[in-house]
Amino acid sequence: MKKVMFLFVAIATFFSSSLFAAVPISKNDKISPVDEIWMDMAVTVAKVNVEEGGIPCGSVVVFNGKLQSSGQATEKATSVETAIATSKLRTLENAVIYTVNEPTAEAYNAICKAKADAVYFVNPKDKVIAAGVQSAEAYDENKLDGTLIQVPVRQMDYADAVALLKK
């Protein structure tokens, strides 16, 4: 895990420079290059989790444009919950979460409680369920806490994340 965190810090430091500040976004682009960088980090966390015998789930929390934390799925928590817990922030206002798979009901409740600004994911719940990564019960909408302020959830295309479900 220390290797993964070192890798993330090194990558975040490199990419947080003004290197990508001048990258133009055309009307044909669906996401920004910066979003791709953060999603790539979430995919890397998921790959490491698979290498360590876990499931292909990984998330990163980006606070004010900088990597705050990452999380892998464990027996006790989703990758999103782990990333939120390790962020050590009181609130995730001004933070964006990038996660490989659509958040489960439990993870979405944690996101809303933390008051994140937005969530980006790649693999939709139907594909995650079909791959056996999560159960349909994990996405039961009856488990969503309707008293919480909803956080926008956006799906993006990212081939490396899709490939994780095919392994």
Side-chain angles (χ1 to χ4, degrees), residues 49-63:
N49 201 27
V50 169
E51 290 169 6
E52 294 175 352
I55 58 176
C57 295
S59 301
V60 295
V61 173
V62 178
F63 182 71

Side-chain angles (χ1 to χ4, degrees), residues 8-159:
F8 286 134
V9 171
I11 291 171
T13 302
F14 175 76
F15 286 123
S16 65
S17 69
S18 61
L19 178 66
F20 288 96
V23 175
I25 305 297
S26 73
K27 292 180 181 179
N28 296 326
D29 288 335
K30 294 183 180 181
I31 59 171
S32 76
V34 175
D35 289 331
E36 288 183 354
I37 292 167
W38 298 125
M39 185 56 73
D40 189 60
M41 289 185 181
V43 168
T44 301
V45 172
K47 286 179 180 177
V48 169
N49 201 27
V50 169
E51 290 169 6
E52 294 175 352
I55 58 176
C57 295
S59 301
V60 295
V61 173
V62 178
F63 182 71
N64 288 334
K66 297 194 187 251
L67 178 66
Q68 181 65 34
S69 63
S70 65
Q72 297 174 321
T74 66
E75 291 180 16
K76 296 180 181 181
T78 67
S79 63
V80 171
E81 291 171 312
T82 305
I84 290 170
T86 59
S87 72
K88 298 181 181 166
L89 296 170
R90 292 182 196 173
T91 178
L92 292 185
E93 290 180 48
N94 300 316
V96 177
I97 298 172
Y98 294 84
T99 184
V100 173
N101 303 317
E102 184 172 352
T104 62
E106 183 179 348
Y108 186 68
N109 286 336
I111 291 164
C112 293
K113 285 177 186 170
K115 300 178 183 175
D117 282 3
V119 178
Y120 288 87
F121 74 95
V122 176
N123 299 316
K125 64 183 170 189
D126 60 327
K127 305 257 185 198
V128 175
I129 293 166
V133 174
Q134 295 287 349
S135 68
E137 184 181 329
Y139 290 99
D140 183 356
E141 291 185 14
N142 293 321
K143 294 181 179 178
L144 294 174
D145 186 343
T147 65
L148 298 171
I149 296 173
Q150 303 299 293
V151 173
V153 178
R154 298 179 182 104
Q155 185 174 11
M156 59 187 272
D157 293 326
Y158 198 76

